[in-house]
Amino acid sequence: MEVPILKQGPYLIGSVQSALTDKDLLHLRDNLVEKVGRLRSRGVIVDVTAMDVMDSFASRTLSDIAQMIRLRGAETVIVGIQPEVAFTMVQLGLTLQGVTTALDLEGGLTFLDQRTKKRGADGAARAR
Amino acid sequence: MEVPILKQGPYLIGSVQSALTDKDLLHLRDNLVEKVGRLRSRGVIVDVTAMDVMDSFASRTLSDIAQMIRLRGAETVIVGIQPEVAFTMVQLGLTLQGVTTALDLEGGLTFLDQRTKKRGADGAARAR
Amino acid sequence: MKSPRRAFAEVAGSIEHRSPAASKEEPTVPIQSDLDILVARQNGRALAQQLGLSTGDQTVIATVISELARNILLYARPGWMILEVLETDGRKGLRVVARDDGPGIADIERAMQVGYSTSGSLGLGLPGVRRLVDDFEIFSRVGEGTTVTITKWKP
Amino acid sequence: MKSPRRAFAEVAGSIEHRSPAASKEEPTVPIQSDLDILVARQNGRALAQQLGLSTGDQTVIATVISELARNILLYARPGWMILEVLETDGRKGLRVVARDDGPGIADIERAMQVGYSTSGSLGLGLPGVRRLVDDFEIFSRVGEGTTVTITKWKP
Ligand SMILES: Nc1ncnc2c1ncn2[C@@H]1O[C@H](COP(=O)(O)OP(=O)(O)O)[C@@H](O)[C@H]1O
Ligand SMILES: Nc1ncnc2c1ncn2[C@@H]1O[C@H](COP(=O)(O)OP(=O)(O)O)[C@@H](O)[C@H]1O
């Protein structure tokens, strides 16, 4: 299932609607990286509320997305990781090191607003 | 013994009152991970002043708590590790890598205030 | 969330490699594509829910299936996932068997270490799975294949 | 905080496996649940305090007991902890014996390595315990059980 990507002002929001195959996740990655340049977006939110499993592949792909987006000059926030999913990820050793997280869409938007306010109109992203 | 979790403004404070069994610690973990989402907390403090022993299990569980809370978009600070406990932990190789610590409750609150002031009202957490 | 009881066995001997055809009543899901991973873990979650496992444990089962199926896809395709409900001594549990006729693993102990990977991947799969479940067994013979058997007991 | 004297022995031979019943005057705490770990380490701290060990060394004793009891719970339950006060050549010390009839350890040298774990755990317990105490001895025979004996001397 293709993940819809919505443009909301200077941000892109990828809203996962259901469990994803590996190919779906890779499409999401490629689409975000392409769109963030075409639409000159300053931030990206990936909402994973609907993901009931986050295995090593999904976790790695989300990290990759955040790093690729950063190299394109924008910020990424992963939002909506459910409690059971967080529990299982940590037991597996999947900690999304270096990736920003927020509780939900609202938290993600607030974070991006804060971050991008501090920088220029077209923004710039800094490695952590 | 159940560890009481107090809500103080945007923060949760888990205050260990006595030596804990493994099950008590796991309950603390599960309760914090659940509450941080339900109450939209921006930070969590675990006060371990009363813990006279920190073995590999306790140490790992505290790390897990910090990582799970981060995946839910909030910050964690462990406060109150006593000098003898710190000594023994390091000899055992338990260094709470990647986990933020502070001397006491006050130090923990100051840290969280600093961190969350920099970010939006709903906050977001980034791994170090 | 986790029972402290835990069994671990590494078997690398003359045990008969279990044929998937031998277990007739169990649903056997072949793993040949990324879509099969999805189907297998959805089956696993449904069975875990039916058994009355907590949503936390349902997530654990689905994730474990995902990791084991992924290894089959990466290293030993095709393979099979067998899901079964156990009942012994009044205890109920869910068993997952991931089985393949792939190249096998020469050094199992090494494969079980955090960070060891022959595919440039994270090397977290097998040790992580072991941490998530109650019982964990891996049997492998080079040139014949690998069987990983895990059980999650209902508390 | 630590005496420089330190003995280490790995015994894997024909020494008679010590029965907990043989030591009648010593308090033997069975380790079967996580609550027993708590009780054992509180006993240990109390005895260490009685003996006049520093609060630092009391914490060391309690932590060492916790780690050894945890290994029994994870790998070899049930087992026993025996605490005794030693007095030799005018020196006083506290001895902890952790004993089980579990599966034993096949390769002790490996089990003593930092990071080696068969449970996906940290693998810090045994090497860490050795670092914390003055005398450390481990005896294990596969199929019979494991005995770890440590001593902390009063400086
Ligand atoms: N079913 C299998 N068949 C053959 N080799 C396997 C299989 N599963 C795992 N392995 C081997 O074990 C290694 C470790 O696996 P794992 O811990 O899951 O990490 P990763 O998949 O990230 O490499 C793999 O890199 C691979 O060499
Ligand atoms: N009492 C015991 N009986 C059997 N095996 C044991 C026992 N204690 C330790 N072991 C083995 O030694 C390994 C290393 O132990 P340890 O250093 O305490 O680390 P960890 O408990 O984190 O694995 C364990 O993983 C286990 O295989």
Side-chain angles (χ1 to χ4, degrees):
Chain A
M1 225 192 87
E2 192 83 1
V3 177
I5 297 176
L6 315 170
K7 181 178 182 312
Q8 179 165 333
Y11 309 135
L12 292 180
I13 302 175
S15 236
V16 179
Q17 303 293 312
S18 66
L20 299 180
T21 64
D22 299 357
K23 274 189 209 74
D24 296 332
L25 261 167
L26 296 178
H27 275 146
L28 172 63
R29 181 195 65 192
D30 298 347
N31 287 341
L32 284 173
V33 173
E34 186 267 325
K35 276 207 167 134
V36 85
R38 187 153 50 80
L39 302 176
R40 308 188 67 77
S41 305
R42 283 188 275 156
V44 169
I45 294 179
V46 183
D47 186 345
V48 297
T49 307
M51 282 180 78
D52 70 331
V53 169
M54 189 84 80
D55 69 356
S56 53
F57 181 84
S59 183
R60 195 201 183 110
T61 307
L62 290 179
S63 281
D64 288 353
I65 288 175
Q67 288 172 333
M68 292 175 189
I69 296 293
R70 196 187 66 74
L71 291 176
R72 304 276 282 146
E75 298 273 348
T76 302
V77 195
I78 308 295
V79 307
I81 296 177
Q82 295 303 297
E84 300 83 21
V85 174
F87 170 87
T88 311
M89 286 174 73
V90 169
Q91 300 277 90
L92 267 175
L94 306 172
T95 52
L96 290 181
Q97 215 77 124
V99 178
T100 304
T101 51
L103 186 64
D104 51 19
L105 200 55
E106 202 188 319
L109 286 168
T110 315
F111 170 82
L112 288 179
D113 283 346
Q114 294 284 103
R115 287 288 283 198
T116 52
K117 214 180 291 161
K118 287 204 197 95
R119 307 193 264 97
D122 271 307
R126 208 167 329 116
R128 284 154 288 271
Chain B
M1 224 192 87
E2 193 83 0
V3 177
I5 297 175
L6 314 170
K7 182 178 181 314
Q8 179 166 333
Y11 309 136
L12 293 179
I13 302 175
S15 237
V16 178
Q17 303 293 313
S18 67
L20 298 180
T21 63
D22 299 357
K23 274 189 209 73
D24 296 332
L25 261 167
L26 295 179
H27 275 147
L28 174 63
R29 179 195 66 191
D30 296 347
N31 288 340
L32 284 173
V33 173
E34 187 266 324
K35 276 209 166 129
V36 84
R38 188 153 50 78
L39 301 175
R40 305 186 66 77
S41 306
R42 283 188 276 157
V44 169
I45 294 178
V46 182
D47 186 345
V48 299
T49 307
M51 282 180 77
D52 70 330
V53 169
M54 188 82 80
D55 69 355
S56 54
F57 182 85
S59 182
R60 178 175 201 132
T61 307
L62 290 179
S63 281
D64 286 354
I65 288 174
Q67 288 173 330
M68 290 176 192
I69 295 291
R70 196 188 68 77
L71 290 177
R72 303 276 284 144
E75 299 274 348
T76 302
V77 195
I78 308 294
V79 308
I81 297 176
Q82 295 303 299
E84 300 84 20
V85 174
F87 170 85
T88 312
M89 285 174 74
V90 170
Q91 299 280 92
L92 268 174
L94 306 171
T95 52
L96 290 181
Q97 215 76 104
V99 177
T100 305
T101 51
L103 186 65
D104 52 19
L105 202 54
E106 201 189 320
L109 286 168
T110 312
F111 170 82
L112 287 180
D113 282 345
Q114 294 283 98
R115 287 288 284 197
T116 52
K117 211 179 292 160
K118 287 206 198 95
R119 306 194 264 100
D122 274 300
R126 200 166 335 116
R128 284 153 288 274
Chain C
M1 242 173 186
K2 171 181 302 183
S3 141
R5 209 183 81 83
R6 186 181 293 208
F8 173 58
E10 288 174 4
V11 193
S14 59
I15 293 174
E16 201 58 41
H17 207 58
R18 188 160 110 136
S19 155
S23 48
K24 277 196 193 82
E25 63 282 33
E26 302 144 7
T28 300
V29 186
I31 304 294
Q32 303 193 55
S33 77
D34 63 342
L35 193 62
D36 295 332
I37 299 184
L38 216 66
V39 171
R41 76 192 193 199
Q42 278 162 353
N43 288 353
R45 181 182 287 276
L47 200 59
Q49 190 172 12
Q50 224 172 284
L51 185 64
L53 293 182
S54 68
T55 55
D57 283 352
Q58 289 169 30
T59 303
V60 164
I61 286 288
T63 310
V64 162
I65 288 174
S66 204
E67 290 296 327
L68 296 178
R70 188 169 299 295
N71 280 355
I72 290 176
L73 218 58
L74 270 173
Y75 309 111
R77 111 165 74 153
W80 301 266
M81 304 284 309
I82 303 154
L83 308 176
E84 47 186 327
V85 170
L86 297 185
E87 191 157 0
T88 9
D89 309 327
R91 284 166 87 217
K92 281 183 180 181
L94 202 158
R95 169 163 294 169
V96 177
V97 183
R99 208 195 138 290
D100 64 66
D101 297 336
I105 303 173
D107 188 341
I108 290 183
E109 226 173 293
R110 203 150 176 207
M112 293 304 302
Q113 299 303 309
V114 169
Y116 178 79
S117 174
T118 56
S119 68
S121 170
L122 300 168
L124 296 171
L126 290 177
V129 165
R130 176 159 62 180
R131 221 176 295 126
L132 281 167
V133 299
D134 298 316
D135 302 343
F136 179 100
E137 258 182 64
I138 180 165
F139 167 78
S140 190
R141 208 173 338 173
V142 172
E144 293 193 13
T146 302
T147 303
V148 179
T149 306
I150 68 95
T151 311
K152 189 93 196 164
W153 293 102
K154 193 175 165 179
Chain D
M1 242 172 187
K2 170 180 306 183
S3 139
R5 211 183 75 85
R6 183 183 296 209
F8 172 56
E10 287 172 7
V11 194
S14 57
I15 293 174
E16 200 59 38
H17 207 59
R18 188 160 110 136
S19 155
S23 46
K24 276 195 193 82
E25 63 283 34
E26 301 144 9
T28 299
V29 185
I31 303 294
Q32 303 193 55
S33 77
D34 62 341
L35 194 62
D36 296 332
I37 298 184
L38 217 66
V39 171
R41 75 193 195 197
Q42 278 162 354
N43 288 354
R45 181 182 287 277
L47 200 60
Q49 189 171 15
Q50 224 173 282
L51 184 64
L53 293 184
S54 68
T55 55
D57 282 352
Q58 290 168 30
T59 302
V60 164
I61 287 289
T63 308
V64 161
I65 288 174
S66 203
E67 290 296 326
L68 296 177
R70 188 170 298 295
N71 280 355
I72 290 175
L73 217 60
L74 269 174
Y75 309 112
R77 106 167 77 153
W80 300 266
M81 303 284 309
I82 303 154
L83 308 177
E84 47 185 329
V85 169
L86 297 186
E87 193 157 358
T88 12
D89 308 328
R91 285 166 89 216
K92 282 185 178 177
L94 202 158
R95 168 162 295 172
V96 176
V97 184
R99 205 195 141 291
D100 65 68
D101 297 336
I105 302 173
D107 187 342
I108 290 182
E109 224 172 294
R110 207 145 177 204
M112 293 302 304
Q113 301 300 309
V114 169
Y116 177 79
S117 174
T118 57
S119 68
S121 170
L122 300 167
L124 297 171
L126 290 178
V129 165
R130 176 161 61 180
R131 224 175 295 125
L132 281 167
V133 300
D134 297 317
D135 301 344
F136 179 100
E137 257 182 68
I138 180 166
F139 167 77
S140 188
R141 207 174 340 172
V142 172
E144 293 192 14
T146 302
T147 303
V148 179
T149 306
I150 69 96
T151 311
K152 188 92 196 162
W153 294 102
K154 192 175 168 181

